Amino acid sequence: MTQDQPQDRQRFWSRLRFTSLRLRLVVVFGLVALTAAVSVSGIAYWLNREAVLTRAQDAVLGDFEQEMRNRAGSLPEHPTEDELQHTAGQMANSSQRFGVLLVAETTGGSAVTGSAGGPDGFSLSDVPASLRTAVDKKQKVTDANKSAYHLYWQRIVLADTPYLVAGSRVGGGGPTGYMLKSLEPEAKDIDSLAWSLGIATALALVGSALLAQALATTVLKPVHRLGTAARRLGEGRLDTRLRVSGTDELADLSRTFNSAAEALEKRVEDMAAREASSRRFVADMSHELRTPLTAITAVTEVLEEELEAESGSMDPMIEPAVRLVVSETRRLNSLVENLMEVTRFDAGTARLVLDDVDVADQITACIDARAWLDAVELDAERGIHAQLDPRRLDVILANLIGNALKHGGSPVRVSVTEVADEVVIAVRDHGPGIPEDVLPHVFDRFYKASASRPRSEGSGLGLSIALANAHIHGGEITAGNTPEGGAVFTLRLPRDVSAPAESGAPDSRAAGDGRDAKGQGQR
């Protein structure tokens, strides 16, 4: 199975989701077409059914009425059974071929019947009682009603077969006649019509679905192109543009997208240019400051030696000023080094020089180099190795431990554990902890926890540089508070890091060396 096949299946099923605009268009179009087709088919079926039945019914009733008038009307008022049977046979042989049942009374008052042409056993019991009542009912003769008896009919079902039954009575005391005509041929024609209309409806539904699919493809193709362009734009390809054709709403949408993408590209280019200019300015400023700082540092070292000399040659009046100059020179030198390190991270030139590192030994070396052995408790077993950059790990540890010593409470506890393929280093202090509103900002550059104390010994870059060094290893640093009180910084680093070789200047010191780590606190 190729890699593209799961993606193709995913796109296919995504098109079948009901939330898909394509599927909704097809479903709505299909429902409209189905409603229209069913309505038209239903009306056509009803009209054709009535037309077929009415045509057959009118022909049969007309023939029966004529036969009753011509043949049954010629019978005597009290015919015999043979006369009824003979007349029924003549009437049944008419062009419509229906069954006939004639009923009359003899001179003695008894009922006699004669039938022919109908199904076996055609008798009065097959005629609905309501129809017999209506046929036998004598009506008043008026100018509007010329006959005392009328022809009545009704559709019935006998043995699952539809029939038309009708009855009429000869005026002047003649016999009563009933007719029974099978409507099975008409029912078959109506069933065939229903099947035809059903097939036509199904074909119309399929055709409407195909048409809806084609229309949806035509309508959604620009939307799909717009979505693809938006994804490319989100991936950073700011030169993405849509081809505009037509004057409809989708064309207006494409023009709007192109205008927005062009404005976004221009703004991002301007911001990138300003950011690059700012980085160049910081880098140039840092490099330019290094030369005079070197000379100033040499002078301050001489002054510091004079301060520490036992001869007391330093004028007591200027001694505080000299100490301030020495302290601020160190702070300025640390700030310049930190700015240069931040510039390397921003420019993407910071690289790793990996080595097999015993984490416990590295932490011990960091603490010992800064004379923190009395203030730091180490809970780490030797033998936990990882592929790391020792110099950058030292920067991270120096910043985290120095920050805990400065802003927390002694002793600071450093613990090392192994979790899956990671090395977890936790630095915990016993201070008041970090305020909740400060936690989201502790790694921000130049962030100060208290606005009333904007100036401190630190540069405000230490924790952000530590986080950047963790990220370049593929790791992470999180800050929080412990339930017992005090802050805890947790460093997670993968045990095996694959990274290119160091490309920066080999003598460039990252923020957080022995002198700088004491001034990196941001809380």
Side-chain angles (χ1 to χ4, degrees):
M1 181 182 295
T2 64
Q3 186 177 2
D4 294 335
Q5 287 177 337
Q7 297 177 355
D8 294 339
R9 285 201 300 269
Q10 185 177 2
R11 285 194 293 267
F12 172 76
W13 288 111
S14 66
R15 290 182 178 181
L16 290 184
R17 294 197 309 267
F18 190 73
T19 54
S20 169
L21 183 58
R22 178 188 299 272
L23 182 58
R24 281 185 285 174
L25 284 175
V26 173
V27 170
V28 171
F29 201 97
L31 289 176
V32 172
L34 178 63
T35 303
V38 169
S39 300
V40 172
S41 299
I43 294 173
Y45 174 79
W46 183 78
L47 292 176
N48 282 275
R49 177 179 179 276
E50 290 301 315
V52 169
L53 293 177
T54 300
R55 183 172 59 251
Q57 177 178 295
D58 290 346
V60 173
L61 293 178
D63 195 6
F64 174 67
E65 190 174 15
Q66 183 178 0
E67 290 294 326
M68 283 293 295
R69 187 168 48 249
N70 294 339
R71 298 187 183 279
S74 62
L75 289 173
E77 183 177 355
H78 301 287
T80 63
E81 184 175 355
D82 292 338
E83 290 175 332
L84 289 177
Q85 189 69 35
H86 177 71
T87 302
Q90 290 179 330
M91 294 175 64
N93 289 328
S94 68
S95 60
Q96 294 297 324
R97 299 292 179 180
F98 44 74
V100 177
L101 174 64
L102 296 178
V103 181
E105 291 183 358
T106 62
T107 54
S110 62
V112 293
T113 62
S115 63
D120 294 340
F122 178 39
S123 63
L124 281 176
S125 61
D126 297 326
V127 180
S130 58
L131 181 62
R132 294 199 303 268
T133 302
V135 169
D136 292 336
K137 183 178 181 180
K138 185 176 181 181
Q139 300 182 14
K140 184 179 180 179
V141 177
T142 61
D143 293 339
N145 184 26
K146 303 295 183 181
S147 176
Y149 299 97
H150 293 275
L151 175 66
Y152 295 92
W153 59 271
Q154 186 175 343
R155 295 170 190 161
I156 62 173
V157 177
L158 297 176
D160 296 330
T161 301
Y163 286 92
L164 174 67
V165 60
S168 180
R169 186 170 183 172
V170 177
T176 301
Y178 295 98
M179 177 275 301
L180 188 67
K181 172 65 175 179
S182 174
L183 298 178
E184 187 174 5
E186 288 74 14
K188 290 181 178 180
D189 292 341
I190 293 173
D191 290 340
S192 298
L193 175 63
W195 274 104
S196 299
L197 292 175
I199 294 173
T201 301
L203 293 178
L205 181 61
V206 173
S208 64
L210 295 177
L211 180 59
Q213 175 70 15
L215 291 175
T217 300
T218 303
V219 172
L220 295 180
K221 186 177 293 184
V223 178
H224 177 69
R225 288 200 299 264
L226 179 62
T228 302
R231 283 192 295 271
R232 291 178 179 175
L233 197 66
E235 293 169 357
R237 300 168 64 177
L238 301 180
D239 59 342
T240 302
R241 298 293 185 274
L242 290 173
R243 181 174 57 85
V244 180
S245 60
T247 58
D248 55 7
E249 289 81 358
L250 291 175
D252 292 339
L253 182 60
S254 298
R255 293 189 188 94
T256 302
F257 176 86
N258 290 340
S259 299
E262 184 177 357
L264 178 62
E265 182 181 18
K266 185 177 184 302
R267 176 161 298 188
V268 170
E269 288 177 352
D270 293 342
M271 292 176 62
R274 287 195 296 269
E275 184 178 359
S277 177
S278 299
R279 285 199 300 266
R280 283 195 303 271
F281 171 76
V282 173
D284 294 343
M285 181 188 67
S286 302
H287 281 287
E288 291 298 327
L289 287 175
R290 291 192 70 180
T291 301
L293 272 177
T294 303
I296 295 173
T297 301
V299 173
T300 55
E301 288 176 353
V302 174
L303 293 175
E304 189 176 14
E305 291 176 358
E306 290 291 331
L307 289 173
E308 295 174 355
E310 297 180 358
S311 59
S313 58
M314 180 69 66
D315 187 347
M317 296 296 294
I318 65 171
E319 182 178 343
V322 172
R323 292 188 182 277
L324 178 61
V325 169
V326 172
S327 174
E328 291 302 311
T329 300
R330 286 178 177 175
R331 183 174 181 274
L332 180 60
N333 189 66
S334 174
L335 176 60
V336 171
E337 294 291 342
N338 287 346
L339 288 174
M340 294 182 66
E341 183 69 5
V342 168
T343 301
R344 282 191 287 271
F345 279 115
D346 289 344
T349 59
R351 296 293 184 270
L352 294 176
V353 180
L354 298 177
D355 194 5
D356 185 72
V357 176
D358 187 306
V359 178
D361 289 346
Q362 185 69 29
I363 298 175
T364 302
C366 174
I367 296 173
D368 185 48
R370 293 160 178 82
W372 291 339
L373 289 175
D374 296 336
V376 177
E377 295 179 357
L378 178 60
D379 180 14
E381 296 182 359
R382 298 189 62 184
I384 300 178
H385 290 263
Q387 290 289 322
L388 303 170
D389 186 328
R391 182 179 66 84
R392 295 190 181 278
L393 178 58
D394 183 77
V395 171
I396 299 173
L397 294 172
N399 277 291
L400 295 182
I401 298 174
N403 190 72
L405 288 172
K406 180 178 180 181
H407 299 282
S410 297
V412 172
R413 182 178 179 84
V414 181
S415 61
V416 180
T417 56
E418 293 181 276
V419 179
D421 295 331
E422 290 184 331
V423 176
V424 181
I425 303 174
V427 179
R428 175 186 171 187
D429 60 45
H430 292 78
I434 306 174
E436 293 296 328
D437 59 330
V438 175
L439 276 175
H441 308 286
V442 292
F443 295 104
D444 294 350
R445 296 175 182 177
F446 300 109
Y447 179 77
K448 302 293 182 180
S450 176
S452 62
R453 295 186 301 162
R455 180 176 177 81
S456 66
E457 296 180 9
S459 64
L461 293 172
L463 289 180
S464 64
I465 292 176
L467 182 62
N469 278 297
H471 285 170
I472 200 173
H473 281 87
E476 185 62 67
I477 303 177
T478 57
N481 294 311
T482 61
E484 297 82 6
V488 57
F489 285 81
T490 305
L491 168 65
R492 296 179 181 271
L493 296 174
R495 301 190 63 178
D496 187 9
V497 180
S498 298
E502 173 75 50
S503 64
D507 62 341
S508 61
R509 290 181 297 121
D513 59 16
R515 292 176 300 171
D516 181 55
K518 298 179 181 179
Q520 293 304 314
Q522 298 185 57
R523 299 210 311 272

